[in-house]
Amino acid sequence: MEKTRREQKREDTINEIKAIARHLMSEGGTTTLSMRPIAAEMRMSVMGLYRYFENRDALLTALIADNFNAMADAMENARDSERSDDPVQKLLAVLIAYRSWAIEHPVDFQLNYGNPIPGYEAPPEITVPAVVRSFVVAIGLIEEILQRGLAIPPPHYDHVPPPLEAGIGTALERYGYPVSPLALYFAVTGWSQLHGVIMLELFNHIQPLIEDSTAYYEAQVHNLLYNMGVKLP
Amino acid sequence: MEKTRREQKREDTINEIKAIARHLMSEGGTTTLSMRPIAAEMRMSVMGLYRYFENRDALLTALIADNFNAMADAMENARDSERSDDPVQKLLAVLIAYRSWAIEHPVDFQLNYGNPIPGYEAPPEITVPAVVRSFVVAIGLIEEILQRGLAIPPPHYDHVPPPLEAGIGTALERYGYPVSPLALYFAVTGWSQLHGVIMLELFNHIQPLIEDSTAYYEAQVHNLLYNMGVKLP
DNA sequence: TGTACATCAGTGAACGCGCGTTCACTGATGTAC
DNA sequence: TGTACATCAGTGAACGCGCGTTCACTGATGTAC
C-alpha cells in the first residue's frame, strides 16, 4: 500500500517536530521540554502540534522509543558489519558503537538514561522491548565467546556471586532469553562499568582528569574483556 | 566569639530553607527547583527567602557545595573509623561508604552528578576543591596499597595506557597532588566503573536484572580490587 | 470528469496556573551612648 | 537603666513572562458516487 501525499506530509511533519524537540532539548535540557517553543520554531500555532501528538508526554514517549531503537540499530549494525567472524572482535565493535552513539547523540542518551522527567513516566511496554533489543546484541556475543572457550575467566570471576544468583535467574526467566547466568552477569557488569564512563564524559566530569576520552573508553573496554579472561591480540 | 541569638536564628533559617529545597527536589526533580514552593512550605512570603540567598542560583550553589562536602566527610569518616590498619580494608570501607551516601541521599547525588540544570553552572572555585577532597581519600589509599606492594597489577594493567599518559600527567601537575600516575589512573577507573553502578541503581535501570543491588555493588568493588592485583581474604 | 461531502491541518483566543525578581514598605531586634 | 538609632526579618503587590490544554473555528485535501 502506497502512502498518500497526505500521509507522507504527515510523517514529515512528525519527524520535523521530533527533530526540533531534540534541538531544543540540546539547549534547554531534557527535563524542561515544552510545546510552545517547538511550535514557534515551526512557525505554527501551538495547537497544530496536538494534531500529531496527543500531549507533551506522548511526544516524550515517541522520542524515547526512537532513541532506544536507534541505539539498538547502531549496535546491531556494528556487530553485522564487523569484517571478522570472531565474536570477540564483534563484541569490541558493539561496545565501541554503544559509546559512539551516546557521544553523537548526547541529548538522546540523556533523555533515556539521565534524570527522570518530573511528572512523566515512560510506559514500560514501549521501552522494555527496545532496551532488551540492545542488551541482546551484547549478551549474545558474550554467550558465544564463553561457549566457544574464547574466554577463560579467572577463579574469582567464573561464577555468578551467590547473593546475585536468584535475581539473575529471575531475570532470565522473565525475558525468556536462553543464555547462561554467567553471560548475563558479565553483560550487566560490563554495562554498568561502561555506563559510568559515558555518563561522566557526557556531563564533563571526567575531562579534567582524562584528555583523550575515546582512548580512555577503549582502555576500559579492553580491561573489561581482559578481566573476563579473553585473550586479546 | 559567640553567636548572637539573631545569628543563630539566621543559621537555622538557612538550614530550614536548604532542607525544604532538598525535600521539594525529591518530589519534583533537581532541575525544576523553584523559590515559591519553598516559601509556601515555610509559610513565608517568597521575598523573605531573598534575605538568605541572593537568588535561586545561589541556593543551588550552596546545596551543591554542601553535598560534595558531606560526601567527602562520609568517605573520610569511613577511612578513619575502619578498625584495621590495612589500606585495602580502608579502601573497601571508603568505596562502600561512597555508594551508601549516594543511596541515602539520592537527590543530592543527582544534583551533583545528574543532568545539568538549564541556565545554571556551578562555580568551579566552589565545587572543584570539594570534589578533590573526596578524590584524595581514595587515591591516597590506592597509592599506599601500591607502595607497600599490597597489589601486584597484571601485565595489561600495571601501567597507564600510553594515549592517556599526557592527560594524567597534566592533571597531576594541576592539582599538585604527589601521587603516581598509576594510582590516579586506578582511581579514575574505579570511579567511572562504580559511578555507572550507582547511576543505574539510582534511576532504577538495573533493578530488573539485579535483585540485591548492595551485593551487586560489593561484587563490583571486589572485582575492581582483584583486577588491580589486590589479594583479598 | 464533476460535485457533494467527509476528513484532516492548522488557527487564535482564552483559561488558570506558576515562575523569578523589582520595589517600597512595616515591624522587630540589637547596639551605642 | 533608658532612649535614639541602625540594622535586620519579613510582607505584599506588581511586572512581564512562560506553560499545557480547552474550545470553537476556517480552509485545504481527499473520497465516493
Side-chain angles (χ1 to χ4, degrees):
Chain A
M1 183 136 69
E2 214 177 325
K3 273 177 215 156
T4 63
R5 253 170 292 173
R6 208 182 232 173
E7 282 167 347
Q8 180 59 53
K9 213 191 155 201
R10 183 174 176 81
E11 209 180 296
D12 292 349
T13 308
I14 287 178
N15 286 332
E16 195 188 346
I17 293 171
K18 286 177 180 171
I20 290 174
R22 287 176 208 281
H23 175 243
L24 288 170
M25 284 191 292
S26 78
E27 292 179 340
T30 56
T31 53
T32 52
L33 175 68
S34 58
M35 303 297 270
R36 284 168 185 275
I38 299 175
E41 189 84 10
M42 293 184 80
R43 296 166 192 284
M44 189 196 246
S45 72
V46 204
M47 289 320 298
L49 298 177
Y50 285 76
R51 286 255 156 224
Y52 300 94
F53 295 96
E54 201 192 338
N55 50 34
R56 195 197 64 142
D57 287 3
L59 172 55
L60 284 173
T61 301
L63 290 169
I64 290 172
D66 280 4
N67 291 348
F68 277 121
N69 281 315
M71 203 166 76
D73 287 346
M75 290 168 73
E76 285 176 0
N77 192 50
R79 177 193 60 196
D80 299 338
S81 57
E82 168 64 37
R83 277 181 303 278
S84 160
D85 272 347
D86 181 2
V88 172
Q89 289 305 318
K90 280 180 186 289
L91 182 57
L92 269 172
V94 164
L95 297 180
I96 300 285
Y98 178 64
R99 167 178 175 274
S100 297
W101 191 89
I103 299 303
E104 284 161 20
H105 305 85
V107 177
D108 300 333
F109 193 86
Q110 197 181 133
L111 183 59
N112 287 25
Y113 284 116
N115 293 19
I117 290 169
Y120 171 78
E121 197 148 2
E125 69 274 16
I126 304 282
T127 59
V128 169
V131 175
V132 168
R133 253 190 79 202
S134 53
F135 223 84
V136 160
V137 178
I139 205 172
L141 292 167
I142 293 172
E143 176 78 352
E144 191 183 342
I145 290 169
L146 289 175
Q147 284 191 347
R148 285 173 52 183
L150 298 173
I152 300 159
H156 76 274
Y157 200 44
D158 64 357
H159 58 280
V160 176
L164 303 176
E165 280 168 1
I168 295 269
T170 313
L172 281 177
E173 276 174 36
R174 180 164 43 228
Y175 300 111
Y177 192 64
V179 92
S180 67
L182 190 59
L184 177 54
Y185 179 60
F186 283 174
V188 175
T189 293
W191 181 38
S192 58
Q193 289 184 11
L194 298 180
H195 183 74
V197 180
I198 292 172
M199 285 300 248
L200 289 175
E201 181 180 354
L202 225 53
F203 295 154
N204 296 304
H205 292 303
I206 214 171
Q207 281 80 344
L209 298 171
I210 296 292
E211 256 169 26
D212 184 342
S213 42
T214 302
Y216 179 68
Y217 182 82
E218 281 171 11
Q220 293 303 313
V221 170
H222 279 91
N223 278 344
L224 200 62
L225 296 185
Y226 267 118
N227 298 336
M228 275 170 53
V230 174
K231 274 149 233 77
L232 287 172
Chain B
M1 182 134 74
E2 214 177 326
K3 272 176 216 155
T4 63
R5 253 170 291 172
R6 207 181 233 172
E7 281 168 347
Q8 180 59 53
K9 211 189 156 203
R10 185 175 175 81
E11 210 181 294
D12 292 348
T13 308
I14 287 179
N15 286 331
E16 195 188 345
I17 293 171
K18 286 177 180 170
I20 290 175
R22 287 177 208 281
H23 175 244
L24 288 170
M25 284 191 292
S26 77
E27 291 179 340
T30 57
T31 54
T32 53
L33 176 68
S34 59
M35 303 297 269
R36 285 168 185 278
I38 299 175
E41 189 82 12
M42 294 183 80
R43 297 167 190 284
M44 190 195 245
S45 72
V46 203
M47 288 320 298
L49 298 177
Y50 285 75
R51 286 256 155 222
Y52 301 93
F53 295 97
E54 201 191 339
N55 49 35
R56 195 197 63 141
D57 287 4
L59 172 55
L60 284 172
T61 301
L63 290 169
I64 290 172
D66 280 5
N67 292 346
F68 277 121
N69 280 315
M71 203 165 76
D73 287 346
M75 289 168 74
E76 286 176 358
N77 191 49
R79 176 194 60 195
D80 299 339
S81 58
E82 168 63 36
R83 277 181 302 277
S84 161
D85 272 348
D86 181 2
V88 172
Q89 290 304 317
K90 281 181 185 290
L91 183 57
L92 268 173
V94 164
L95 298 180
I96 301 286
Y98 178 64
R99 168 178 174 272
S100 297
W101 191 88
I103 300 303
E104 284 160 20
H105 305 84
V107 176
D108 301 333
F109 193 86
Q110 198 181 132
L111 182 59
N112 288 24
Y113 284 116
N115 294 18
I117 290 168
Y120 172 79
E121 196 148 2
E125 68 274 15
I126 303 282
T127 58
V128 169
V131 175
V132 168
R133 253 190 80 203
S134 54
F135 222 84
V136 160
V137 178
I139 205 172
L141 292 168
I142 293 172
E143 176 78 351
E144 191 183 342
I145 290 169
L146 290 175
Q147 284 190 346
R148 285 173 52 182
L150 298 173
I152 301 158
H156 75 273
Y157 200 45
D158 64 356
H159 59 280
V160 176
L164 303 177
E165 280 168 3
I168 295 268
T170 312
L172 281 178
E173 275 174 37
R174 180 164 41 227
Y175 299 111
Y177 193 65
V179 93
S180 67
L182 190 59
L184 178 54
Y185 178 59
F186 283 174
V188 175
T189 294
W191 180 37
S192 58
Q193 289 183 12
L194 298 180
H195 183 75
V197 179
I198 292 173
M199 285 300 248
L200 289 176
E201 181 180 353
L202 226 53
F203 296 154
N204 295 304
H205 292 304
I206 214 171
Q207 280 81 342
L209 297 171
I210 296 293
E211 256 169 26
D212 184 342
S213 41
T214 302
Y216 179 67
Y217 183 83
E218 282 170 10
Q220 294 303 313
V221 170
H222 280 91
N223 278 344
L224 200 61
L225 296 185
Y226 267 117
N227 298 335
M228 275 171 53
V230 174
K231 275 150 233 79
L232 286 171

Short mmCIF file of all heavy atoms in Angstrom, two decimals, chain A residues 138-180:
data_model
loop_
_atom_site.label_atom_id
_atom_site.label_comp_id
_atom_site.label_asym_id
_atom_site.label_seq_id
_atom_site.Cartn_x
_atom_site.Cartn_y
_atom_site.Cartn_z
N ALA A 138 24.67 -7.57 22.90
CA ALA A 138 25.90 -7.80 23.67
C ALA A 138 25.90 -9.20 24.29
O ALA A 138 26.89 -9.93 24.21
CB ALA A 138 26.03 -6.74 24.76
N ILE A 139 24.79 -9.55 24.87
CA ILE A 139 24.78 -10.81 25.62
C ILE A 139 24.92 -12.02 24.69
O ILE A 139 25.55 -13.02 25.05
CB ILE A 139 23.51 -10.90 26.49
CG1 ILE A 139 23.77 -11.82 27.67
CG2 ILE A 139 22.32 -11.33 25.71
CD1 ILE A 139 22.62 -11.80 28.66
N GLY A 140 24.40 -11.90 23.48
CA GLY A 140 24.53 -13.00 22.52
C GLY A 140 25.99 -13.26 22.20
O GLY A 140 26.45 -14.41 22.14
N LEU A 141 26.74 -12.18 22.03
CA LEU A 141 28.16 -12.33 21.71
C LEU A 141 28.93 -12.87 22.91
O LEU A 141 29.83 -13.71 22.75
CB LEU A 141 28.73 -10.99 21.25
CG LEU A 141 28.19 -10.50 19.90
CD1 LEU A 141 28.56 -9.04 19.65
CD2 LEU A 141 28.70 -11.40 18.76
N ILE A 142 28.59 -12.40 24.10
CA ILE A 142 29.28 -12.90 25.30
C ILE A 142 29.05 -14.40 25.44
O ILE A 142 29.97 -15.17 25.70
CB ILE A 142 28.79 -12.15 26.55
CG1 ILE A 142 29.23 -10.68 26.49
CG2 ILE A 142 29.31 -12.81 27.81
CD1 ILE A 142 28.63 -9.81 27.57
N GLU A 143 27.81 -14.82 25.25
CA GLU A 143 27.49 -16.24 25.35
C GLU A 143 28.30 -17.05 24.34
O GLU A 143 28.85 -18.11 24.67
CB GLU A 143 25.97 -16.44 25.11
CG GLU A 143 25.51 -17.88 25.09
CD GLU A 143 25.39 -18.49 26.49
OE1 GLU A 143 25.82 -17.84 27.47
OE2 GLU A 143 24.87 -19.62 26.58
N GLU A 144 28.40 -16.53 23.13
CA GLU A 144 29.17 -17.24 22.10
C GLU A 144 30.65 -17.35 22.49
O GLU A 144 31.28 -18.40 22.32
CB GLU A 144 29.03 -16.52 20.76
CG GLU A 144 29.58 -17.35 19.58
CD GLU A 144 29.50 -16.60 18.25
OE1 GLU A 144 28.72 -15.61 18.16
OE2 GLU A 144 30.23 -16.99 17.32
N ILE A 145 31.17 -16.25 23.03
CA ILE A 145 32.57 -16.25 23.46
C ILE A 145 32.80 -17.31 24.53
O ILE A 145 33.78 -18.08 24.49
CB ILE A 145 32.97 -14.85 23.99
CG1 ILE A 145 33.03 -13.85 22.83
CG2 ILE A 145 34.29 -14.90 24.74
CD1 ILE A 145 33.16 -12.40 23.27
N LEU A 146 31.89 -17.38 25.49
CA LEU A 146 32.03 -18.36 26.56
C LEU A 146 31.89 -19.78 26.03
O LEU A 146 32.69 -20.66 26.36
CB LEU A 146 30.97 -18.11 27.65
CG LEU A 146 31.18 -16.85 28.50
CD1 LEU A 146 30.01 -16.65 29.45
CD2 LEU A 146 32.49 -16.92 29.27
N GLN A 147 30.90 -20.01 25.18
CA GLN A 147 30.66 -21.37 24.69
C GLN A 147 31.80 -21.88 23.84
O GLN A 147 32.12 -23.05 23.85
CB GLN A 147 29.35 -21.40 23.90
CG GLN A 147 28.12 -21.39 24.82
CD GLN A 147 26.84 -21.68 24.08
OE1 GLN A 147 26.82 -21.66 22.83
NE2 GLN A 147 25.77 -21.95 24.82
N ARG A 148 32.41 -20.96 23.08
CA ARG A 148 33.50 -21.40 22.22
C ARG A 148 34.84 -21.40 22.93
O ARG A 148 35.89 -21.60 22.31
CB ARG A 148 33.56 -20.50 20.97
CG ARG A 148 32.45 -20.85 19.98
CD ARG A 148 32.35 -19.90 18.82
NE ARG A 148 33.61 -19.70 18.12
CZ ARG A 148 33.74 -18.85 17.10
NH1 ARG A 148 32.71 -18.14 16.69
NH2 ARG A 148 34.91 -18.71 16.51
N GLY A 149 34.81 -21.16 24.24
CA GLY A 149 36.04 -21.22 25.02
C GLY A 149 37.03 -20.12 24.69
O GLY A 149 38.23 -20.26 24.89
N LEU A 150 36.53 -18.99 24.18
CA LEU A 150 37.42 -17.88 23.83
C LEU A 150 37.76 -17.03 25.04
O LEU A 150 38.57 -16.12 24.96
CB LEU A 150 36.78 -17.02 22.75
CG LEU A 150 36.51 -17.75 21.43
CD1 LEU A 150 35.72 -16.87 20.47
CD2 LEU A 150 37.83 -18.18 20.79
N ALA A 151 37.11 -17.32 26.15
CA ALA A 151 37.43 -16.61 27.39
C ALA A 151 37.55 -17.63 28.51
O ALA A 151 36.72 -18.54 28.60
CB ALA A 151 36.33 -15.61 27.73
N ILE A 152 38.60 -17.48 29.31
CA ILE A 152 38.75 -18.35 30.48
C ILE A 152 38.75 -17.45 31.71
O ILE A 152 39.79 -16.91 32.10
CB ILE A 152 40.04 -19.17 30.39
CG1 ILE A 152 40.00 -20.02 29.12
CG2 ILE A 152 40.18 -20.07 31.63
CD1 ILE A 152 41.37 -20.46 28.67
N PRO A 153 37.58 -17.23 32.30
CA PRO A 153 37.50 -16.30 33.43
C PRO A 153 38.34 -16.79 34.60
O PRO A 153 38.43 -18.00 34.84
CB PRO A 153 36.01 -16.33 33.81
CG PRO A 153 35.30 -16.92 32.63
CD PRO A 153 36.29 -17.84 31.98
N PRO A 154 38.99 -15.88 35.30
CA PRO A 154 39.77 -16.25 36.48
C PRO A 154 38.84 -16.75 37.59
O PRO A 154 37.64 -16.48 37.54
CB PRO A 154 40.44 -14.93 36.89
CG PRO A 154 39.58 -13.86 36.31
CD PRO A 154 38.98 -14.43 35.07
N PRO A 155 39.42 -17.47 38.56
CA PRO A 155 38.59 -18.14 39.58
C PRO A 155 37.61 -17.22 40.31
O PRO A 155 36.50 -17.64 40.63
CB PRO A 155 39.63 -18.68 40.58
CG PRO A 155 40.91 -18.74 39.82
CD PRO A 155 40.85 -17.72 38.75
N HIS A 156 38.02 -15.97 40.55
CA HIS A 156 37.09 -15.12 41.31
C HIS A 156 35.97 -14.59 40.45
O HIS A 156 35.07 -13.90 40.93
CB HIS A 156 37.85 -13.94 41.94
CG HIS A 156 38.20 -12.85 40.96
ND1 HIS A 156 39.34 -12.87 40.20
CD2 HIS A 156 37.54 -11.72 40.59
CE1 HIS A 156 39.37 -11.80 39.41
NE2 HIS A 156 38.30 -11.09 39.63
N TYR A 157 36.00 -14.94 39.16
CA TYR A 157 35.06 -14.29 38.24
C TYR A 157 34.44 -15.32 37.29
O TYR A 157 33.92 -14.95 36.25
CB TYR A 157 35.81 -13.21 37.47
CG TYR A 157 34.96 -12.14 36.84
CD1 TYR A 157 33.90 -11.54 37.51
CD2 TYR A 157 35.22 -11.70 35.53
CE1 TYR A 157 33.13 -10.56 36.91
CE2 TYR A 157 34.47 -10.71 34.93
CZ TYR A 157 33.43 -10.14 35.64
OH TYR A 157 32.68 -9.16 35.04
N ASP A 158 34.52 -16.60 37.64
CA ASP A 158 33.99 -17.62 36.71
C ASP A 158 32.62 -18.14 37.16
O ASP A 158 32.18 -19.20 36.74
CB ASP A 158 34.98 -18.77 36.54
CG ASP A 158 35.21 -19.53 37.83
OD1 ASP A 158 34.63 -19.12 38.87
OD2 ASP A 158 35.95 -20.52 37.80
N HIS A 159 31.98 -17.38 38.01
CA HIS A 159 30.65 -17.79 38.50
C HIS A 159 29.89 -16.54 38.96
O HIS A 159 30.49 -15.52 39.30
CB HIS A 159 30.82 -18.73 39.70
CG HIS A 159 31.58 -18.10 40.82
ND1 HIS A 159 32.97 -18.01 40.82
CD2 HIS A 159 31.18 -17.48 41.95
CE1 HIS A 159 33.38 -17.38 41.92
NE2 HIS A 159 32.30 -17.04 42.62
N VAL A 160 28.58 -16.64 38.94
CA VAL A 160 27.77 -15.54 39.47
C VAL A 160 27.91 -15.55 40.99
O VAL A 160 27.75 -16.60 41.61
CB VAL A 160 26.29 -15.73 39.08
CG1 VAL A 160 25.43 -14.63 39.70
CG2 VAL A 160 26.13 -15.74 37.57
N PRO A 161 28.22 -14.38 41.61
CA PRO A 161 28.31 -14.37 43.08
C PRO A 161 26.99 -14.87 43.68
O PRO A 161 25.91 -14.46 43.23
CB PRO A 161 28.52 -12.88 43.40
CG PRO A 161 29.10 -12.30 42.15
CD PRO A 161 28.51 -13.07 41.02
N PRO A 162 27.09 -15.76 44.67
CA PRO A 162 25.89 -16.40 45.22
C PRO A 162 24.73 -15.45 45.57
O PRO A 162 23.59 -15.77 45.23
CB PRO A 162 26.42 -17.12 46.47
CG PRO A 162 27.86 -17.38 46.16
CD PRO A 162 28.32 -16.26 45.29
N PRO A 163 24.98 -14.27 46.16
CA PRO A 163 23.83 -13.43 46.50
C PRO A 163 23.07 -12.93 45.27
O PRO A 163 21.95 -12.45 45.40
CB PRO A 163 24.45 -12.23 47.25
CG PRO A 163 25.85 -12.60 47.54
CD PRO A 163 26.25 -13.65 46.57
N LEU A 164 23.68 -13.03 44.10
CA LEU A 164 23.03 -12.50 42.91
C LEU A 164 22.35 -13.58 42.08
O LEU A 164 21.62 -13.27 41.13
CB LEU A 164 24.06 -11.76 42.04
CG LEU A 164 24.81 -10.62 42.74
CD1 LEU A 164 25.86 -10.02 41.82
CD2 LEU A 164 23.83 -9.54 43.20
N GLU A 165 22.61 -14.85 42.43
CA GLU A 165 22.09 -15.94 41.61
C GLU A 165 20.58 -15.87 41.42
O GLU A 165 20.05 -16.00 40.32
CB GLU A 165 22.46 -17.30 42.24
CG GLU A 165 23.88 -17.72 41.94
CD GLU A 165 24.32 -18.90 42.80
OE1 GLU A 165 23.48 -19.38 43.60
OE2 GLU A 165 25.49 -19.31 42.70
N ALA A 166 19.88 -15.61 42.52
CA ALA A 166 18.42 -15.61 42.46
C ALA A 166 17.91 -14.54 41.49
O ALA A 166 17.10 -14.83 40.61
CB ALA A 166 17.85 -15.37 43.86
N GLY A 167 18.42 -13.33 41.64
CA GLY A 167 17.97 -12.22 40.79
C GLY A 167 18.26 -12.46 39.32
O GLY A 167 17.41 -12.23 38.47
N ILE A 168 19.46 -12.94 39.04
CA ILE A 168 19.83 -13.24 37.66
C ILE A 168 18.91 -14.32 37.08
O ILE A 168 18.44 -14.22 35.94
CB ILE A 168 21.31 -13.72 37.60
CG1 ILE A 168 22.26 -12.58 38.02
CG2 ILE A 168 21.66 -14.28 36.25
CD1 ILE A 168 22.77 -11.72 36.92
N GLY A 169 18.64 -15.34 37.91
CA GLY A 169 17.76 -16.42 37.47
C GLY A 169 16.37 -15.88 37.13
O GLY A 169 15.82 -16.19 36.07
N THR A 170 15.83 -15.06 38.01
CA THR A 170 14.51 -14.48 37.77
C THR A 170 14.48 -13.69 36.46
O THR A 170 13.54 -13.81 35.65
CB THR A 170 14.13 -13.52 38.92
OG1 THR A 170 14.41 -14.16 40.16
CG2 THR A 170 12.67 -13.13 38.84
N ALA A 171 15.52 -12.90 36.26
CA ALA A 171 15.57 -12.06 35.05
C ALA A 171 15.60 -12.93 33.80
O ALA A 171 14.89 -12.65 32.82
CB ALA A 171 16.79 -11.15 35.09
N LEU A 172 16.38 -14.00 33.83
CA LEU A 172 16.46 -14.88 32.66
C LEU A 172 15.10 -15.49 32.35
O LEU A 172 14.70 -15.60 31.18
CB LEU A 172 17.49 -16.00 32.89
CG LEU A 172 18.94 -15.57 32.71
CD1 LEU A 172 19.88 -16.72 33.02
CD2 LEU A 172 19.18 -15.08 31.29
N GLU A 173 14.40 -15.89 33.41
CA GLU A 173 13.06 -16.45 33.20
C GLU A 173 12.11 -15.40 32.61
O GLU A 173 11.39 -15.66 31.66
CB GLU A 173 12.47 -16.95 34.52
CG GLU A 173 12.93 -18.36 34.87
CD GLU A 173 12.44 -18.75 36.25
OE1 GLU A 173 11.31 -18.35 36.62
OE2 GLU A 173 13.21 -19.42 36.97
N ARG A 174 12.16 -14.21 33.20
CA ARG A 174 11.21 -13.16 32.79
C ARG A 174 11.34 -12.84 31.31
O ARG A 174 10.37 -12.71 30.61
CB ARG A 174 11.46 -11.91 33.62
CG ARG A 174 10.52 -10.77 33.26
CD ARG A 174 10.50 -9.69 34.33
NE ARG A 174 11.82 -9.39 34.84
CZ ARG A 174 12.14 -9.31 36.13
NH1 ARG A 174 11.22 -9.53 37.04
NH2 ARG A 174 13.37 -9.03 36.51
N TYR A 175 12.58 -12.73 30.83
CA TYR A 175 12.75 -12.32 29.44
C TYR A 175 12.87 -13.53 28.51
O TYR A 175 12.93 -13.37 27.30
CB TYR A 175 13.95 -11.39 29.30
CG TYR A 175 13.78 -10.15 30.11
CD1 TYR A 175 14.56 -9.90 31.23
CD2 TYR A 175 12.77 -9.23 29.80
CE1 TYR A 175 14.37 -8.76 31.99
CE2 TYR A 175 12.57 -8.10 30.57
CZ TYR A 175 13.38 -7.87 31.66
OH TYR A 175 13.17 -6.75 32.42
N GLY A 176 12.91 -14.73 29.09
CA GLY A 176 12.88 -15.94 28.29
C GLY A 176 14.01 -16.04 27.29
O GLY A 176 13.86 -16.62 26.22
N TYR A 177 15.15 -15.44 27.62
CA TYR A 177 16.25 -15.47 26.68
C TYR A 177 17.20 -16.59 27.08
O TYR A 177 17.73 -16.61 28.18
CB TYR A 177 16.97 -14.12 26.70
CG TYR A 177 17.94 -13.95 25.56
CD1 TYR A 177 17.49 -13.92 24.25
CD2 TYR A 177 19.30 -13.83 25.80
CE1 TYR A 177 18.37 -13.78 23.20
CE2 TYR A 177 20.19 -13.68 24.76
CZ TYR A 177 19.73 -13.65 23.45
OH TYR A 177 20.60 -13.52 22.42
N PRO A 178 17.44 -17.56 26.17
CA PRO A 178 18.19 -18.77 26.53
C PRO A 178 19.68 -18.51 26.56
O PRO A 178 20.37 -18.67 25.56
CB PRO A 178 17.83 -19.74 25.42
CG PRO A 178 17.59 -18.87 24.23
CD PRO A 178 17.10 -17.55 24.74
N VAL A 179 20.18 -18.14 27.72
CA VAL A 179 21.57 -17.74 27.84
C VAL A 179 22.01 -18.15 29.24
O VAL A 179 21.18 -18.28 30.15
CB VAL A 179 21.66 -16.23 27.57
CG1 VAL A 179 21.55 -15.43 28.83
CG2 VAL A 179 22.86 -15.87 26.76
N SER A 180 23.30 -18.35 29.42
CA SER A 180 23.75 -18.78 30.73
C SER A 180 23.72 -17.62 31.72
O SER A 180 23.89 -16.47 31.33
CB SER A 180 25.17 -19.33 30.64
OG SER A 180 26.06 -18.29 30.32
#
